[in-house]
Amino acid sequence: MSTPYPFTAVVGQTDLRLALLLNAVSPAVGGVLVRGEKGTAKSTAVRALSALLPQVDVVPGCRFSCAPAAPDPGCPDGPHEPGPGAARPARMVELPVGASEDRLVGALDIERALAEGVKAFEPGLLADAHRGILYVDEVNLLHDHLIDLLLDAAAMGASNVEREGVSVRHAARFLLVGTMNPEEGELRPQLLDRFGLTVEVAASREPAQRVEVVRRRLAYEDDPAAFAGRWAGDEQDVRARVVAARALLPQVRLGDTSLLQIAATCAGFEVDGMRADIVMARTATALAAWAGRTEVRKEDVRQAALLALPHRRRRNPFDAPGLDEDKLDEILDGFPDEEPENDPDPDPEPEGPDDGGPEDGGPDGGGGGIPPQGGPEAPEAPQAPEAPAPDEAPETRDAPDSPAQQPASRDGAAPEQAAVRAAEPFRTKMLSVPGLGEGASGRRSRARTAHGRTTGAQRPRGQLTKLHLAATVQAAAPHQKARGRTGRGLVVRKDDLRQATREGREGNLVLFVVDASGSMAARQRMSAVKGAVLSLLLDAYQRRDKVGLITFRGSAAELALPPTSSVDAAATRLEQLPTGGRTPLAAGLLKAHEVLRIERLRDPSRRPLLVVVTDGRATSAGTAGSAGSAGGDPRALAGRSARLLQAEGIASVVVDCESGPVRLGLAGVLAADLGGPAVTLDGLRADSLAGLVKNVRTASDTHRRAA
């Protein structure tokens, strides 16, 4: 077994280490979600935590880690007779992103069922993690059906398995720890709320600290055992402190003033539900115990708020997590401090283990550290690029629809307009791709999936992944006499095996092609357009889609955001989108064709949905001017480009942005060329968009029916 990196050798990352240690002191805090860029010691610190947890006593031979003093009365391996237990280290169980449902919750032991004719339950990872740590790396990429199972187990402290004739319930109380890179997409709000604490991590910008990170990492890779030995004393000190804090925890007093501070803080930040209040109370108590005190103080409540509330106050997926510390201090200052009781050796700084210097050590592994939240050395948050000041760019005003009427720049195009803020997002009707796909799990279009409702059985094509037990037994039953069956077991051959076919929902690639030309540049009009796209992005986030963003203006189209699962990144690019210039509609459509062609090679099972946001005008041939016999006529080129997308079976929707009393209907013509519907901005709203995508019909329908 490889030697793990020592927890106390992780450089910096004070908040991360503190949050993990508080959960080691009080598992009731509810786990930790670690958010941050790649290479910041997230996984290293989490994997090192298990070595600091006290050993657990278990019933010998119990696969579900029952405690000898209080065994689970419903344990599948029980009932357990009273007796001495066996001590073993606390487990840290890793849940792979691609794990199956059977691997997570357990399932019928198919081999024994078929060979011996008995029902036997084979435990899953939830049973292994009981009374330990369940760690999910890249938790934001976890499939929805696994998230649902995790939510149930975390809420009830037990796992219920009802499948294939098996009915099993066993205890599953574990410390849930997840790590994620926000650039790869966000978590569902339901799972986000299940994490007691959240921590944002980033690499240090201090050269000396980065040097120390590299020095320690290289020393560890050269000789892991010797490196761990250098930190053995520090590891033992932290382990002893965790044990002492656990023993002190029941004696910690949470006074009425502290409870009022907690309640006022949660109410002041408008968090939903009561879980935030409970988690803050448990965290503040654990902070006091970690500091060696029996009384919760205001600084404990403040630190608890910084760890427990940032991920609970978000109103929509595009809000950055965080907490206004000035507002927090204002709320807490409204309450008088409680008189502390006589505490043994109070520690005024409830932080993690001392980082130490290059010589005396402190914690690593692939990233620098950050000071505690709210500390004097807290680095400034990176600033988003600012929009040009009024004196740096022409004032944005209603742009004329015809390029001939626009003020010309050097190239004869309308000048660039400053970016405008998006209008308030709204709920949209669901857009979906017709037919039955086989893409990644999601919530948009119908698909054959590895989970969902069972619709039938078929012979497996390739490796068997999901056995349909009833169909397999039915296929094997008529041949038992001919196969010489004599015992209880069923004689099953490979030809008898049947694969369960299931239908669920898939996530799609929603590619937005947004017209940013001068004809869209009117401030009020572009604000409405951005609001509509933002609404569709919010819908894509909720349905677990990948998204991409193409913009076109002037003489070319630009891939503003390559297809990604980070919907909030698309929202950021959209917010900063400037407008102006001519309308190279054909260039935008051809860029979409190129992007979708490449994505089809990368992920052939994920079906695309093209959303073109434009008024349908085409005033520039752009870079497509030399394509084909249509010459340089922009409208003819746009039509040919649209029909090319239709011929490849790409489902499309055109959002018609044309406004005013006189409408040319060009967006409708474009929609007909794409083979999809056109909908106005007003018609995009959920209460007025009746069955839009149910009416999406593309050439792919014909191809699939023919297949």
Side-chain angles (χ1 to χ4, degrees), residues 270-285:
E270 300 180 352
V271 297
D272 296 329
M274 294 298 298
R275 183 173 286 117
D277 303 63
I278 297 170
V279 171
M280 273 191 65
R282 290 170 173 167
T283 305
T285 304

Side-chain angles (χ1 to χ4, degrees), residues 535-624:
S535 303
L536 291 168
L537 284 172
L538 180 59
D539 181 70
Y541 163 79
Q542 295 168 341
R543 301 190 187 282
R544 310 289 290 178
D545 293 315
K546 289 180 69 175
V547 297
L549 177 63
I550 292 173
T551 63
F552 59 93
R553 65 190 182 94
S555 61
E558 176 189 2
L559 180 59
L561 182 71
T564 176
S565 296
S566 181
V567 177
D568 53 345
T572 301
R573 300 290 175 89
L574 178 71
E575 193 70 26
Q576 300 169 356
L577 176 66
T579 57
R582 296 184 182 275
T583 310
L585 178 57
L589 296 175
L590 290 175
K591 173 64 77 170
H593 179 270
E594 177 187 352
V595 170
L596 294 178
R597 179 182 60 81
I598 295 173
E599 284 301 308
R600 190 180 299 116
L601 296 175
R602 290 175 177 169
D603 189 358
S605 63
R606 187 181 290 269
R607 297 187 295 164
L609 175 63
L610 184 66
V611 180
V612 184
V613 185
T614 181
D615 56 9
R617 300 181 183 223
T619 61
S620 170
T623 56

Side-chain angles (χ1 to χ4, degrees), residues 58 116 165 175 182 216 245 276 291 315 347 350 356 376 415 433 440 478 491 568 571 575 603 672 701:
V58 298
E116 303 174 22
L175 174 60
R216 293 185 191 178
R315 309 329 283 172
D347 182 355
V433 180
V491 180
D568 53 345
E575 193 70 26
D603 189 358
D701 283 328

